[in-house]
Amino acid sequence: MVVTRFAPSPTGYLHVGGARTALFNWLWARRTGGTFILRIEDTDQKRNTPTAIRQVIDDLRWLGIQWDEGPEAGGPNGPYLQSQRRDIYDKHIKQLLDEKKAYYCFDTPEELDALRRQAQNQKKAFSYRRPEDFPDAEDAKKARAKGRSVTVRFAVPQDEPMVVADIVRGEVTFAAGEIGDFIIQKNDGFPTYNFACVVDDYLMKVTHVIRGQEHLMNTPGQQALWKALGFGDFPKYAHMSVTVSDTGGKLSKRERPKAIRKAIKAMQDIDLEKLAEAGSISLEELEAFINGKTAVDMPCIDAMAKHLGAALPEINIVDFFKSGYLPETMVNFLGLLGWNPGDNREIMPVDELIESFDLSRLTKANSLFDRQKLLAFNTEHIRIAPGEKLLQHFKDYLKAIESPAVSADSRLLSKIIKICEGARTLADIERKSRFLFLDNSQIKYDDKAVKKVLLKNDGLAVLTTVRDKLAAMEQFTEQAIEDMLRCLAEEKQVGLGKVAQPLRVAICGTTISLSIFNSVEMLGKEKTLARIDNTLKKVKKDTGCSMLDTRKNGE
RNA sequence: GGCCCCAUCGUCUAGGCAGGUCCAGGACACCGGGUUUUCAACCCGGCAACAGGGGUUCGAAUCCCCUUGGGGCUACCA
């Protein structure tokens, strides 16, 4: 029986890299009829943010990735938050200590830093020098009493090479002595990732560890721990390629802080105090962050980015939700990043993904997250999505972005969706239909559109004519409107655009909307006429004023 | 610096492990044309890659080595 797990550290929203890892684990469990576990690795007291678990859960749910065991779902191997499993880790650490397979250390961070620098200078890899005699519990007690930092290190066997059998990469060998003794329990009593992960994977009976390549170097150490704890056979490992951003590095939660740091450094005279204020942190915290010493909370990152006017890479799953992407798109696209079914299929519903998924087809090379291809996928998924489903997605989207269309009824929304055939994102649909849900007074005129369509040629005159014709219409149907506009265009010996565009700008304020016939019909006669009148009034007034203004400035 | 991973069109990739069927296939992007009431969508056509060098072999995208390039790790982060 296959058991996989996704084990995020809750430091922010779920990003696309994490989502892909979760997806592959989930696909493999579904494919094999196994179990998929969600485990929260919240062992770092400094970095965890209070709302992050909720965010990760929501994002996974949105994607449709359901876990069989984990927070909220429960299960026989809980608790699923590592912070609630302290006693379990303590027990295993004591076991290693008793068996002399681990030992106490009392070094300060400064001392360790110095040792590392020394190794660097000698062009050697840093490896912690294991003491001849291990301090005992009594020594640890004394050290603690004296205020020294107390950690526990695992004595990694140094006598033979270590081999990781990896599904993606084959056998990866590490020379004997390559992996130094590493810390398994921190001064604050929490286990480190490398320890908690091993204990939990064993206790949760995980059979397949599918994770990013960044963990490959952790694996020999984890395997050694596994052995030392007497856990028996290792799980199978699959270290996936990582997804990189177009700026080069690993596409991860580190990307956004990285981008901010870069932006800060790139700016010459920057007011750090104001920036800290914008992020609601202290100046010291900000400086520590800039130097890469500490992490800051997500909202803080966002706030600082806004303050700086810096564009952050859009890497969180929620970003894509709010940009109008479908979960089906994300699942399909992410699934094809570093995996493929072996034939030319690309657009696949999730069932097909599950059916075709196989760990043996994971690719080795890192891949770039291509937004344009994602857009193409989204276009296609919008096209093939069943009406009901698409409607629900659209409603969720409207709510998330607080669109004025949020209160519209299902019938109307369905009609709008249908009219928008060929839309690339839900945002496209919303943008094109938004004008229907605004009050007449809320219409904002796009300057460019007004200039290009109304002020050029005889846009205003055409609009006036159109107004009169519309006013005279008894049947205000889509067909009647179309007939009238086409007829008028023919009469005037111009393209339909020449009569349609001024009308469009008048009722929407922009040059982009639903098809003009639909736009007018759905808005209704009364509002259409009112908006045309408003437009005529406003444009005439504005042009008059602007002429006055220029004259004033000239004098 | 040390260790590890990776390398096919601009991008995601098929082909590689079982060498000939590959003067390298698909998709996105791009370019040209068509359709068109806006934005899209759609239709037709086109451009475009085996990182470089050395081996092995009758034969190499495929196997081996080196170089170069990219990425990861090198934390009391995960």
Side-chain angles (χ1 to χ4, degrees):
Chain A
M1 164 90 156
V2 166
V3 180
T4 64
R5 48 53 165 198
F6 175 53
S9 63
T11 52
Y13 296 97
L14 182 66
H15 57 95
V16 292
R20 190 179 70 127
T21 305
L23 177 65
F24 283 3
N25 277 284
W26 179 76
L27 285 173
W28 185 235
R30 288 292 169 272
R31 169 67 220 278
T32 56
T35 302
F36 173 62
I37 300 175
L38 175 63
R39 180 174 78 218
I40 306 295
E41 309 221 323
D42 53 349
T43 55
D44 185 353
Q45 294 297 287
K46 293 186 286 295
R47 293 201 328 153
N48 294 331
T49 72
T51 50
I53 296 175
R54 179 81 258 140
Q55 288 164 348
V56 167
I57 284 177
D58 288 347
D59 292 343
L60 285 172
R61 289 248 163 85
W62 180 72
L63 287 168
I65 296 175
Q66 301 286 352
W67 49 102
D68 307 302
E69 293 181 28
E72 297 187 357
N77 301 302
Y80 295 92
L81 266 58
Q82 288 187 330
S83 59
Q84 296 171 7
R85 299 171 66 82
R86 295 279 299 279
D87 51 334
I88 299 173
Y89 307 127
D90 286 348
K91 196 184 96 196
H92 287 92
I93 286 183
K94 184 167 185 303
Q95 180 193 328
L96 291 179
L97 245 14
D98 289 347
E99 293 173 1
K100 302 270 181 234
K101 290 173 178 170
Y103 56 93
Y104 291 106
C105 295
F106 312 119
D107 316 273
T108 63
E110 292 74 32
E111 287 162 349
L112 290 172
D113 251 12
L115 288 172
R116 276 190 200 99
R117 261 197 300 273
Q118 198 178 28
Q120 174 86 281
N121 288 340
Q122 291 171 342
K123 302 192 173 191
K124 281 204 300 222
F126 168 72
S127 193
Y128 188 82
R129 181 134 167 241
R130 191 183 303 169
E132 300 275 332
D133 293 307
F134 292 171
D136 57 25
E138 200 55 37
D139 296 323
K141 213 171 175 183
K142 277 185 212 154
R144 211 165 266 135
K146 272 192 262 173
R148 294 258 332 166
S149 133
V150 177
T151 59
V152 178
R153 265 178 208 270
F154 172 50
V156 180
Q158 302 289 309
D159 46 357
E160 54 186 32
M162 300 187 190
V163 179
V164 175
D166 189 89
I167 294 172
V168 181
R169 283 155 221 288
E171 288 195 349
V172 182
T173 306
F174 299 83
E178 187 62 51
I179 310 297
D181 296 351
F182 54 90
I183 291 177
I184 56 177
Q185 186 176 52
K186 308 180 221 176
N187 184 40
D188 65 6
F190 275 82
T192 58
Y193 158 75
N194 274 312
F195 185 77
C197 174
V198 167
V199 171
D200 288 345
D201 282 345
Y202 170 71
L203 292 175
M204 295 178 183
K205 304 173 188 70
V206 170
T207 62
H208 293 255
V209 174
I210 305 164
R211 66 201 341 180
Q213 190 207 157
E214 66 268 24
H215 291 293
L216 186 54
M217 292 297 283
N218 292 145
T219 311
Q222 291 184 197
Q223 285 188 338
L225 260 179
W226 192 281
K227 226 183 202 169
L229 287 163
F231 286 167
D233 290 343
F234 302 142
K236 290 194 166 54
Y237 293 96
H239 287 94
M240 313 182 298
S241 58
V242 299
T243 307
V244 297
S245 73
D246 43 17
T247 50
K250 189 176 83 172
L251 185 53
S252 75
K253 54 193 152 209
R254 296 173 203 204
E255 190 74 4
R256 289 165 75 91
K258 212 162 89 186
I260 283 281
R261 287 193 188 104
K262 212 171 148 191
I264 293 172
K265 283 174 185 164
M267 287 180 195
Q268 291 301 319
D269 23 56
I270 190 163
D271 190 338
L272 289 178
E273 254 171 67
K274 280 213 173 117
L275 181 61
E277 199 181 305
S280 344
I281 52 173
S282 71
L283 192 58
E284 292 76 46
E285 281 173 309
L286 175 64
E287 275 165 359
F289 165 73
I290 293 171
N291 295 325
K293 297 270 185 227
T294 55
V296 296
D297 207 353
M298 288 292 298
C300 170
I301 298 271
D302 291 336
M304 290 199 294
K306 202 175 161 195
H307 177 79
L308 294 172
L312 289 182
E314 193 179 42
I315 62 151
N316 291 324
I317 289 298
V318 272
D319 297 335
F320 293 95
F321 170 41
K322 290 189 178 170
S323 295
Y325 289 84
L326 263 38
E328 289 84 355
T329 305
M330 301 310 292
V331 163
N332 191 169
F333 186 76
L334 256 18
L336 251 36
L337 225 48
W339 174 82
N340 67 77
D343 48 41
N344 285 336
R345 279 179 297 163
E346 288 203 322
I347 300 295
M348 292 193 272
V350 67
D351 292 347
E352 206 175 319
L353 234 33
I354 291 170
E355 198 186 322
S356 319
F357 190 74
D358 195 327
L359 289 179
S360 70
R361 291 200 61 86
L362 291 179
T363 61
K364 293 180 183 176
N366 292 171
S367 50
L368 207 90
F369 189 87
D370 182 355
R371 294 299 305 272
Q372 303 215 79
K373 187 146 183 167
L374 179 74
L375 231 204
F377 269 50
N378 203 51
T379 309
E380 189 59 16
H381 274 285
I382 285 180
R383 195 181 70 75
I384 63 176
E388 272 303 303
K389 201 174 214 178
L390 191 53
L391 175 63
Q392 192 52 54
H393 286 326
F394 192 44
K395 283 181 176 172
D396 293 343
Y397 170 77
L398 294 176
K399 202 169 157 196
I401 65 156
E402 296 172 358
S403 166
V406 76
S407 52
D409 67 77
S410 297
R411 269 186 66 161
L412 181 57
L413 291 178
S414 290
K415 185 174 176 187
I416 289 170
I417 291 171
K418 202 169 164 218
I419 294 167
C420 288
E421 204 186 346
R424 311 213 76 180
T425 65
L426 298 178
D428 283 351
I429 304 178
E430 196 272 346
R431 192 186 46 184
K432 282 170 146 184
S433 56
R434 189 188 186 93
F435 75 97
L436 288 171
F437 306 98
L438 296 171
D439 290 335
N440 291 348
S441 59
Q442 290 178 296
I443 296 295
K444 284 199 194 107
Y445 296 91
D446 174 47
D447 276 350
K448 268 190 196 156
V450 171
K451 266 185 204 147
K452 192 176 158 201
V453 177
L454 292 177
L455 300 183
K456 258 195 195 154
N457 302 322
D458 47 357
L460 286 176
V462 171
L463 185 58
T464 310
T465 314
V466 170
R467 190 229 179 268
D468 293 342
K469 296 238 178 203
L470 284 169
M473 286 174 67
E474 279 174 20
Q475 296 272 329
F476 212 69
T477 63
E478 189 192 332
Q479 187 61 54
I481 294 160
E482 175 164 2
D483 291 344
M484 184 278 282
L485 288 175
R486 284 197 191 281
C487 194
L488 182 63
E490 206 167 313
E491 235 172 70
K492 293 201 171 250
Q493 300 267 308
V494 293
L496 187 52
K498 282 278 185 290
V499 296
Q501 285 301 77
L503 177 56
R504 195 191 303 275
V505 174
I507 62 174
C508 310
T510 73
T511 52
I512 299 168
S513 80
L514 308 173
S515 104
I516 190 65
F517 318 124
N518 283 304
S519 292
V520 173
E521 187 251 347
M522 290 172 85
L523 188 62
K525 187 169 181 175
E526 194 188 323
K527 280 191 173 180
T528 301
L529 294 179
R531 287 188 190 184
I532 294 174
D533 290 341
N534 286 349
T535 305
L536 289 170
K537 220 182 293 170
K538 181 186 180 336
V539 171
K540 277 175 191 159
K541 185 174 146 233
D542 284 359
T543 47
C545 284
S546 69
M547 274 193 285
L548 280 173
D549 285 343
T550 29
R551 218 173 2 198
K552 235 186 260 167
N553 291 340
E555 278 166 21

